[in-house]
Amino acid sequence: MILAKMMRSLSVRRMWCSWFLFCVALTTGLLYAKAFAQTRGWSAPLPLGAYWFPDVAVDGSGRVHAVWSSGADGFDTVMYAAKEGAGWSQPVDIAAIRQIAGGSEASRPALLVDALNILHLTYRYTSIYYSQTPAGGASVPVYWRTPLEIDEGYFSRMVQDRQGALHLVFTQNVQAEGCRVCYHVYYVRSVDDGFSWSDPVDISVQLTGAAKPQIIVDAQDNLHVVWESGYGGSYGQLSDPTAVMHVASYNGGDSWSRPHQLDSTRGASTDAMARNITIAEDDNGNLVVVWWAIPEDVVYYQLSRDAGRTWSQRAPIPGVLGIWALYQSRLDSYATAVDSAGRVHLVMVGRRFVEQTSAELLHLIWDGSSWSPPAVIAGYERDMPEWPRIAVGLGNQLHVVWFVRDAENIFNSDAGNYQVWYASSTTNSPAIAPVAIPAIPPPTPIAAAATPIVIPTPISQIVPVSVEDVIRPGSTLLTPNLRSENDEVVLLLLSAMPVLMVVLLTTISVMLQRRRRTG
């Protein structure tokens, strides 16, 4: 009895203890989830496909368009996928360039959605190509306009002004005496919806190279271009040291300012370099540039209140660091986009703490006067995120794409398992009502008409005989040098005669012997 009571008491205590621990764990989990959502506010990263260097744009219906570089079976491709509602479409290749002598090139696609919800695309092999399609038909390769070759080049970016003109910048190698590989920034313009383009104009006009240009059009229709400056530019890389530059056009691209180095202390030595510049315009009409200082791993920003004619002194963005201490990347880049409230959203690969040994994809907001603390979109222990791109849809929806290098092949893209990823978030900026942009279905194959099969009259291979030389019945057209089927029979009989004679003689001999025995 006493033992039974003790066992029941112990069982009750265990039950209450288990229930208490469950409640504690549940409460802790809920609090953690709430804090996680409040500090991040981003959806779980979703893989889109292999391989790298993606871009993203959003049309007026809220449909998200993503492109990235890939390739297989002797072709370099531009892959495309769209998000409408909760899910993504199956990726398709909307451009394929046959590789020359097996040499693969990153196609480096860049997207632009214009005010009429036309999707504009540039990409490359050894030249820059341009194409476009209605946003509703982007997933159907045949709806894309026949690609137009712009010129030889590597990087490309495009914007559209309020008059509908398209403005494109790209990098192209310009050999000089002291720099055999020095890519310059060129500018072209189209005023007829991309059917033709102006002659290229060198707007970098430097003796060194350039990489990763970005272009925006401000509220006054001024054009602004920023880029990294240094020797090289082939395959997107510049040799150290590097600086960051800005130029502007105040007349729609007719003329350009001289390149301005945003921090004159950068670029003279490897002890003071700058990379990964990006540019945007905030709600106050101020230009904002952000760039990465190397090797100290500080992220700086500068402002211009007079459309890029003068710039403030650099200032560090608090709470964020670069990744030079972890991964000395020359191919990465920062990106910005502006929401309906005029707030600038920055995405970058970096760290939040000096002692941090892993890279994170971070999101920060400039509200016109200060920066928000960094929010983590995705974190990685050994893998390395790279090349984030951001677009704002319907005023307050943020869409980010990037790719990740797997830890085993960070510096070996041929053997790598690189993946393109996507995440989204919603801000408290005013929402913009969507417009209807129905998806355009693939064209229906045209069935062939049911037509009768016409069999042509056979042409005889027999040469007709002249009426004057008619052949009598029983005669043959065979010449003495040819054999007929009867000849084969005769030859067969002749060859069989010796055998038949032996058989006949043997048979007669046997019969004679039998008669003698019986006689």
Side-chain angles (χ1 to χ4, degrees):
M1 290 286 293
I2 296 175
L3 181 60
K5 289 182 180 180
M6 290 178 62
M7 293 297 293
R8 284 197 298 270
S9 176
L10 182 60
S11 177
V12 170
R13 289 180 181 178
R14 285 178 177 175
M15 181 184 68
W16 280 108
C17 183
S18 299
W19 176 253
F20 175 75
L21 292 175
F22 172 77
C23 291
V24 169
L26 180 62
T27 304
T28 303
L30 291 174
L31 290 174
Y32 175 77
K34 183 177 180 181
F36 185 84
Q38 287 176 343
T39 57
R40 289 185 53 144
W42 286 87
S43 66
L46 177 71
L48 297 183
Y51 208 65
W52 55 359
F53 301 114
D55 200 15
V56 64
V58 187
D59 63 34
S61 71
R63 183 188 291 113
V64 184
H65 306 266
V67 290
W68 61 92
S69 300
S70 189
D73 299 327
F75 288 86
D76 292 313
T77 59
V78 175
M79 300 302 296
Y80 169 88
K83 179 179 183 291
E84 189 170 12
W88 281 85
S89 65
Q90 183 71 25
V92 296
D93 56 296
I94 56 174
I97 311 99
R98 185 179 296 277
Q99 297 170 356
I100 300 174
S104 179
E105 299 275 344
S107 57
R108 295 277 189 171
L111 282 178
L112 167 69
V113 173
D114 68 18
L116 299 177
N117 290 297
I118 300 298
L119 196 60
H120 303 263
L121 169 72
T122 56
Y123 61 95
R124 69 169 296 275
Y125 184 67
T126 55
S127 293
I128 303 295
Y129 295 90
Y130 166 82
S131 183
Q132 65 161 263
T133 188
S139 62
V140 183
V142 296
Y143 289 155
W144 286 86
R145 184 188 294 178
T146 301
L148 177 66
E149 183 177 0
I150 303 297
D151 208 337
E152 292 184 2
Y154 194 84
F155 290 104
S156 63
R157 294 299 301 182
M158 186 167 35
V159 294
Q160 185 182 51
D161 65 23
R162 285 160 181 78
Q163 281 68 50
L166 294 170
H167 305 270
L168 169 65
V169 291
F170 62 95
T171 59
Q172 183 183 96
N173 188 32
V174 177
Q175 293 187 1
E177 185 66 28
C179 187
R180 304 302 295 173
V181 179
C182 277
Y183 279 65
H184 287 209
V185 180
Y186 280 85
Y187 163 81
V188 292
R189 174 179 58 196
S190 175
V191 295
D192 60 359
D193 197 31
F195 283 102
S196 63
W197 295 81
S198 62
D199 292 333
V201 176
D202 185 354
I203 61 175
S204 55
V205 293
Q206 292 181 289
L207 298 178
T208 57
K212 310 175 204 171
Q214 294 189 18
I215 182 172
I216 66 166
V217 56
D218 67 20
Q220 306 302 318
D221 257 5
N222 301 315
L223 300 171
H224 301 274
V225 181
V226 294
W227 69 90
E228 290 180 18
S229 175
Y231 285 96
S234 177
Y235 294 102
Q237 299 190 66
L238 296 172
S239 301
D240 299 334
T242 52
V244 287
M245 314 296 292
H246 166 264
V247 295
S249 175
Y250 304 104
N251 53 16
D254 289 339
S255 62
W256 291 82
S257 65
R258 297 289 298 179
H260 171 70
Q261 187 170 335
L262 287 162
D263 187 340
S264 59
T265 67
R266 301 278 151 178
S269 73
T270 55
D271 294 330
M273 300 185 292
R275 292 186 184 275
N276 293 10
I277 187 169
T278 184
I279 186 170
E281 183 185 25
D282 67 17
D283 191 47
N284 300 320
N286 298 328
L287 296 176
V288 185
V289 293
V290 177
W291 48 273
W292 177 27
I294 302 171
E296 59 267 41
D297 256 357
V298 176
V299 181
Y300 288 107
Y301 75 100
Q302 293 176 252
L303 302 177
S304 175
R305 294 179 171 85
D306 56 4
R309 293 176 176 86
T310 61
W311 291 87
S312 67
Q313 294 295 315
R314 72 187 189 201
I317 297 179
V320 65
L321 298 167
I323 58 168
W324 194 253
L326 307 179
Y327 173 51
Q328 297 184 0
S329 170
R330 289 169 174 81
L331 296 174
D332 196 15
S333 180
Y334 299 166
T336 48
V338 182
D339 66 21
S340 60
R343 297 186 297 181
V344 177
H345 297 265
L346 167 69
V347 288
M348 55 166 286
V349 177
R351 298 173 296 155
R352 292 172 294 157
F353 312 105
V354 174
E355 65 275 10
Q356 188 172 334
T357 59
S358 59
E360 296 172 325
L361 180 60
L362 301 173
H363 167 232
L364 301 94
I365 304 172
W366 169 258
D367 64 3
S369 60
S370 62
W371 289 94
S372 70
V376 179
I377 301 174
Y380 299 89
E381 286 298 326
R382 297 175 57 240
D383 298 337
M384 189 58 61
E386 195 169 293
W387 200 260
R389 287 293 177 263
I390 183 170
V392 176
L394 303 180
N396 64 352
Q397 297 177 9
L398 308 180
H399 304 274
V400 175
V401 292
W402 69 99
F403 80 94
V404 177
R405 297 175 183 264
D406 60 299
E408 290 74 18
N409 299 285
I410 285 180
F411 298 105
N412 185 4
S413 60
D414 290 337
N417 183 27
Y418 299 176
Q419 292 288 323
V420 175
W421 294 80
Y422 164 84
S424 63
S425 181
T426 302
T427 73
N428 57 4
S429 299
I432 297 175
V435 298
I437 306 177
I440 304 174
T444 302
I446 301 175
T451 56
I453 300 175
V454 178
I455 301 177
T457 302
I459 299 175
S460 175
Q461 302 299 315
I462 301 176
V463 178
V465 178
S466 174
V467 176
E468 288 78 10
D469 191 20
V470 64
I471 304 299
R472 295 188 303 272
S475 301
T476 176
L477 291 174
L478 297 177
T479 66
N481 295 325
L482 297 179
R483 293 183 299 167
S484 69
E485 292 180 357
N486 293 331
D487 294 330
E488 302 292 340
V489 174
V490 173
L491 290 174
L492 181 62
L493 291 174
L494 291 175
S495 61
M497 283 299 295
V499 178
L500 293 175
M501 289 298 296
V502 171
V503 172
L504 180 61
L505 292 174
T506 303
T507 304
I508 294 173
S509 174
V510 171
M511 292 177 64
L512 290 174
Q513 290 179 0
R514 286 181 178 178
R515 285 183 181 180
R516 289 173 182 174
R517 290 174 182 173
T518 55

